[in-house]
Amino acid sequence: MRIVCLGGGPAGLYFSILIRRLRPDWEVTLVERSRPDDAFGWGVVFSDRTLENFRAADPVSYVAISQAMEGWDDIETWYRGQCIRSGGHGFSGIPRRRLLAILQKRAQALGVQIQFETEAQAADAYADYDLIVAADGIHSAVRQRYAERFQPQTEEGRCRYLWLGARRPLESFTFDFRETEWGWITLHAYRCDAEWSTFIVEMPEEVWQRAGIDQMNLAQSLAFCNELFADRLAGVPLEANGAHPRGGQWLRFTRLHCRRWYKDNVVLLGDAAHTAHFSIGSGTKLAMEDAIALAHHLHAEPDPARALPAYQDERESEVLRLQSAARNRQEWFENVARYATLPTPQFVHSLLTGSQRIGHASLRERDPFYAAGYEQWFAARAHAAAETPPLFTPYQLRGLTLANRIVMSPMSMESTPDGLANDFTLAHLGARALGGAGLIISEAAAISPEGRITLESAGLWNDAHTAAWRRITDFVHANSSTRIGIQLAHSGPKGAAQLPWQNDGAPLAAGWPLLSASAIPWDDGWPTPRAMERADMDTVLAQCVAAAERAEAAGFDLLELHYAHGYLFSAFLCPLSNRRQDEYGGSLENRCRYPLEVLRAVRAAWPAEKPLSVRISAHDWAPGGNTGDEALQIARLLREAGADLIDVSSGQTTPDALPRYGRMYQTPFADRIRNELDLATLAVGAITTADQANTIIAAGRADLVALGRPLLANPMWPLHAAAELGYTAAEWPAPYTAAREQHWREVARAKELRP
């Protein structure tokens, strides 16, 4: 087979090495436009795990790379004049030029034909090759030539960054956050060999412009950075990489992902197919691991028609996971000001876990001393015992104190004929109370028969409902320290539906008239609701107030209004379902007007000492819908109208939504609202493990964490989470204590057996 590789960066060189090692009879030509020692950037970072992958793929180049690397375990973070150190991170750096030299030497030794200072031609010019590997980077000409096939998606970051170096070998990976008159400026710095360190200076575009850096030449930019970070440099000047065209430019990071990575016998590799923000140090790692996979599949199956799809299938999921982490990390650095109100220890913890790939448990494994100190600091602020994990510290909202930060999210059970809470409701909610959640919130209770989702939706529109709910709250209060809330809702355009597990919740054949903000059916085949008139608004508002009064009589500790997921009040907030031409439609303020009227009236009826929560969809996940920016404005208005807590969900406001799913995928919305508005939030959505929940609380991304499906599967999830976190002071129901010590032993044993 004849292979041409376009691009002589780490991806192209490493692939050439590996395929020649596996198939020495194949001809491999590599075309590189630059000179051998030209390289953008300074240092390349690899984790210990990545180096092990290199060892397995090619021991010869692994030895040369590992011998040239400088390793570190510690991350040192400077913030507001304080320095916090966290250890055990296990990374190593190598100068990019040195890495390229090693790979070039190894490739040439294996017989790869390298053509330096040669412009790659269009892919059509290589028709006599069996395989064309496009490793030509973020600006790939091959990808652009076949963009219709590769379907690249790009997004430019908010920050400007300058990649520099200094002859000062740092002992630790160093972050330094400087608050200036123009805004926050960040330094990322790490050693790349025995003499040099990489220094990346980063700031949001608006800070860059306010500081006048957009008008500076390179010498002036260097002088600015030298002065700002003089104490980190200790008198050593910063230098730009003049050997590369972009070496002295302030750049904006481009996030790239291609839906397809191959076309016929043309395949994309590394940055030509995808990018990951430099703050997670995985761009070169991803590129070289792409090379490992591509070489493996071609060796196993030389036919590109079969090998190339298998290559993408193997790599895409891992790339997407790392891109998700990189996106989280990038957005963290783009919004340093968001976290500037956090106390220094929590600011650093938020930074270390900002990718959502590393949790508090990982930090504890890496550096038990750091993690224990942080837990003690957090517990002291929460007035808890020193050994209490953040997830199990108490939390207070108005006059309500929760024993821990775990909440059972409202979930539609649709098992209450006539809306009456029954034995199933008691067993369902009672089991979760005995399981140790700090707060359980009932499923949505309709404020009227017309506000039901199904014929078996729970209700709170008459005195019989009040009495039935009182039985539930009395049980919870008598048998646990769990507090209980109720969610009030009106189904709006999504009402008169079949049960969710029957015909996918399609509309009833004979339903009831529906209301909404506008006369827009929920989906094809659904009945058209009537656009609410003022009289309808007055009626629904009065029903909400009456339901709130019944919730108090029923003994609930917290009240939540359901303003999410496409139901009535959500239909007002969402521009896709609110097309009104009056004062309740159009602008965001107008769309919020009626939901705010309801909130104010309910707040006035609900006892002052009891908290009131509002659930919102923080993103519609559809063109023209609300995004996180609008969610921030909505949350601000809700707070002004009396909301104490924002339950931050997303989506389900339109059947056309395309959510970007992933673990904890909605937590960033809760994080933003909490830290930009100083407003209590409840994080929900794909939170499944004790470490995830504990990390969210520890890092200040939310004040409470809600679980749905995990608590359906395991009512005792909170007590199991306590055992997982090594917390033995969690309260067990007295009749269950006989199982406690055995459960602790089983959890400890399972930890010992983990690989």
Side-chain angles (χ1 to χ4, degrees):
M1 178 180 285
R2 299 183 71 232
I3 298 173
V4 62
C5 187
L6 308 180
L13 282 166
Y14 203 48
F15 167 74
S16 300
I17 289 167
L18 299 181
I19 200 64
R20 279 288 295 178
R21 180 170 180 264
L22 294 169
R23 292 281 191 162
D25 55 322
W26 289 2
E27 177 187 325
V28 180
T29 300
L30 186 144
V31 179
E32 168 55 42
R33 64 182 298 181
S34 301
R35 295 170 298 182
D37 59 348
D38 286 351
F40 176 60
W42 293 78
V44 174
V45 178
F46 295 127
S47 68
D48 292 347
R49 180 177 297 180
T50 299
L51 289 172
E52 286 303 310
N53 293 337
F54 295 168
R55 183 205 296 268
D58 180 39
V60 174
S61 59
Y62 160 78
V63 170
I65 292 170
S66 60
Q67 289 178 346
M69 300 196 82
E70 291 288 327
W72 68 84
D73 275 340
D74 291 352
I75 293 178
E76 192 175 85
T77 304
W78 292 85
Y79 176 70
R80 296 196 184 279
Q82 299 183 54
C83 179
I84 292 181
R85 186 183 293 259
S86 167
H89 295 279
F91 281 90
S92 299
I94 182 173
R96 186 175 176 89
R97 288 178 179 172
R98 181 63 180 140
L99 174 64
L100 290 175
I102 290 170
L103 297 179
Q104 289 164 6
K105 181 178 179 181
R106 175 64 171 150
Q108 289 167 335
L110 289 169
V112 177
Q113 301 171 31
I114 304 180
Q115 300 173 8
F116 289 112
E117 299 183 69
T118 303
E119 289 287 346
Q121 304 300 308
D124 298 346
Y126 301 99
D128 55 336
Y129 284 88
D130 301 299
L131 181 69
I132 302 168
V133 179
D136 48 347
I138 181 63
H139 302 291
S140 170
V142 175
R143 185 187 67 244
Q144 294 171 15
R145 169 69 176 81
Y146 301 115
E148 185 175 345
R149 166 65 181 181
F150 295 132
Q151 298 183 46
Q153 300 171 350
T154 61
E155 182 179 348
E156 201 166 36
R158 285 185 53 228
C159 283
R160 291 278 182 173
Y161 68 95
L162 183 61
W163 206 305
L164 303 169
R167 196 183 291 274
R168 181 167 186 248
L170 297 170
E171 295 182 359
S172 307
F173 195 111
T174 301
F175 292 112
D176 194 337
F177 297 88
R178 298 295 172 100
E179 186 176 20
T180 71
E181 60 186 291
W182 311 286
W184 286 91
I185 301 177
T186 302
L187 174 68
H188 313 239
Y190 54 91
R191 181 188 297 193
C192 52
D193 66 15
E195 297 184 42
W196 289 84
S197 293
T198 298
F199 285 77
I200 305 172
V201 181
E202 181 183 25
M203 68 196 80
E205 174 87 8
E206 61 270 21
V207 176
W208 184 72
Q209 291 179 349
R210 285 197 294 262
I213 303 174
D214 58 329
Q215 302 299 317
M216 295 181 184
N217 59 31
L218 177 58
Q220 291 169 324
S221 288
L222 289 173
F224 178 93
C225 296
N226 277 320
E227 181 178 356
L228 184 61
F229 295 106
D231 44 357
R232 296 287 81 78
L233 291 164
V236 177
L238 291 166
E239 298 182 26
N241 182 359
H244 193 279
R246 295 187 296 155
Q249 297 179 18
W250 287 92
L251 304 173
R252 294 174 68 177
F253 184 81
T254 301
R255 183 189 300 157
L256 163 72
H257 184 80
C258 293
R259 292 191 62 186
R260 293 187 179 90
W261 299 6
Y262 58 90
K263 177 188 183 299
D264 301 327
N265 68 331
V266 179
V267 62
L268 304 179
L269 196 66
D271 281 357
H274 50 73
T275 59
H277 191 258
F278 58 80
S279 60
I280 67 167
S282 292
T284 304
K285 160 202 160 67
L286 283 174
M288 293 177 68
E289 290 181 344
D290 279 359
I292 293 172
L294 181 58
H296 165 76
H297 285 290
L298 285 167
H299 174 57
E301 175 49 77
D303 183 356
R306 287 191 286 269
L308 302 188
Y311 154 67
Q312 181 172 350
D313 286 346
E314 176 186 334
R315 290 295 298 151
E316 190 168 26
S317 59
E318 172 63 13
V319 167
L320 287 172
R321 281 194 293 270
L322 269 173
Q323 284 192 314
S324 177
R327 180 187 296 109
N328 293 334
R329 189 79 155 170
Q330 176 181 346
E331 291 176 357
W332 196 100
F333 282 104
E334 289 176 343
N335 295 283
V336 170
R338 175 184 302 165
Y339 305 102
T341 59
L342 293 176
T344 298
Q346 194 165 48
F347 178 92
V348 174
H349 193 283
S350 177
L351 163 68
L352 295 175
T353 59
S355 69
Q356 294 190 174
R357 278 177 62 89
I358 294 177
H360 186 74
S362 178
L363 294 179
R364 174 174 277 281
E365 291 176 3
R366 296 163 189 245
D367 189 341
F369 179 79
Y370 163 78
Y374 184 76
E375 290 168 5
Q376 292 171 12
W377 172 86
F378 193 100
R381 285 175 58 86
H383 307 290
E387 69 277 5
T388 309
L391 185 61
F392 284 89
T393 56
Y395 186 72
Q396 185 166 350
L397 274 171
R398 294 203 179 218
L400 176 66
T401 299
L402 304 179
N404 60 59
R405 312 295 185 99
I406 303 169
V407 178
M408 188 189 84
S409 189
M411 292 174 284
S412 294
M413 295 293 101
E414 306 301 330
S415 302
T416 52
D418 300 319
L420 282 168
N422 51 32
D423 287 349
F424 174 85
T425 317
L426 175 62
H428 169 62
L429 297 178
R432 277 75 194 171
L434 295 176
L439 172 68
I440 56 177
I441 304 178
S442 76
E443 63 187 289
I447 59 171
S448 67
E450 300 78 21
R452 291 174 292 172
I453 301 170
T454 76
L455 289 169
E456 297 199 17
S457 292
L460 194 50
W461 66 78
N462 62 38
D463 292 342
H465 294 149
T466 305
W469 282 115
R470 186 79 205 199
R471 176 180 175 231
I472 310 295
T473 62
D474 285 348
F475 176 88
V476 170
H477 292 147
N479 293 279
S480 73
S481 60
T482 296
R483 304 295 88 182
I484 181 169
I486 189 167
Q487 185 185 71
L488 301 182
H490 189 295
S491 58
K494 297 173 75 174
Q498 299 180 50
L499 297 177
W501 51 89
Q502 295 177 351
N503 199 21
D504 293 327
L508 291 167
W512 52 85
L514 304 179
L515 293 174
S516 188
S518 299
I520 301 174
W522 164 247
D523 200 358
D524 295 341
W526 282 71
T528 300
R530 187 177 84 252
M532 292 181 75
E533 299 177 355
R534 185 64 252 182
D536 300 314
M537 295 182 185
D538 292 340
T539 297
V540 170
L541 186 150
Q543 290 168 341
C544 287
V545 170
E549 292 170 343
R550 290 191 179 95
E552 162 60 10
F556 285 100
D557 304 300
L558 173 143
L559 189 68
E560 177 166 288
L561 296 177
H562 198 344
Y563 284 8
H565 300 168
Y567 299 117
L568 181 64
F569 303 111
S570 170
F572 274 87
L573 298 175
C574 176
L576 301 175
S577 51
N578 184 344
R579 304 292 176 81
R580 299 176 71 100
Q581 300 299 312
D582 61 5
E583 66 270 31
Y584 295 99
S587 69
L588 178 66
E589 290 74 13
N590 282 357
R591 300 198 308 273
C592 290
R593 190 184 302 273
Y594 181 58
L596 292 174
E597 289 177 7
V598 172
L599 173 56
R600 293 189 191 98
V602 169
R603 178 68 269 182
W606 186 241
E609 71 276 9
K610 292 188 176 183
L612 196 156
S613 171
V614 181
R615 170 169 274 205
I616 66 170
S617 286
H619 203 300
D620 291 330
W621 301 112
N626 289 325
T627 68
D629 292 338
E630 286 76 25
L632 195 70
Q633 299 176 59
I634 291 169
R636 182 183 290 109
L637 293 171
L638 294 173
R639 178 181 63 186
E640 293 170 357
D644 303 296
L645 175 73
I646 306 298
D647 182 352
V648 188
S649 186
S650 73
Q652 302 180 57
T653 55
T654 169
D656 298 325
L658 294 172
R660 194 168 64 202
Y661 290 115
R663 56 184 178 180
M664 301 176 283
Y665 72 105
Q666 295 175 155
T667 298
F669 302 129
D671 183 341
R672 183 177 181 188
I673 291 170
R674 180 189 191 272
N675 289 302
E676 290 194 22
L677 297 182
D678 190 24
L679 174 58
T681 60
L682 171 60
V684 61
I687 301 166
T688 59
T689 71
D691 183 48
Q692 288 171 356
N694 192 45
T695 302
I696 289 168
I697 300 301
R701 295 192 176 92
D703 301 280
L704 300 168
V705 172
L707 296 98
R709 293 178 179 86
L711 274 167
L712 287 183
N714 179 9
M716 307 298 286
W717 190 97
L719 295 179
H720 291 184
E724 179 72 20
L725 298 173
Y727 181 56
T728 58
E731 179 184 349
W732 282 60
Y736 292 7
T737 53
R740 185 174 54 193
E741 283 75 13
Q742 178 180 337
H743 178 65
W744 290 342
R745 288 194 297 271
E746 290 174 351
V747 171
R749 178 61 177 161
K751 287 183 178 180
E752 292 174 0
L753 295 176
R754 287 177 187 166

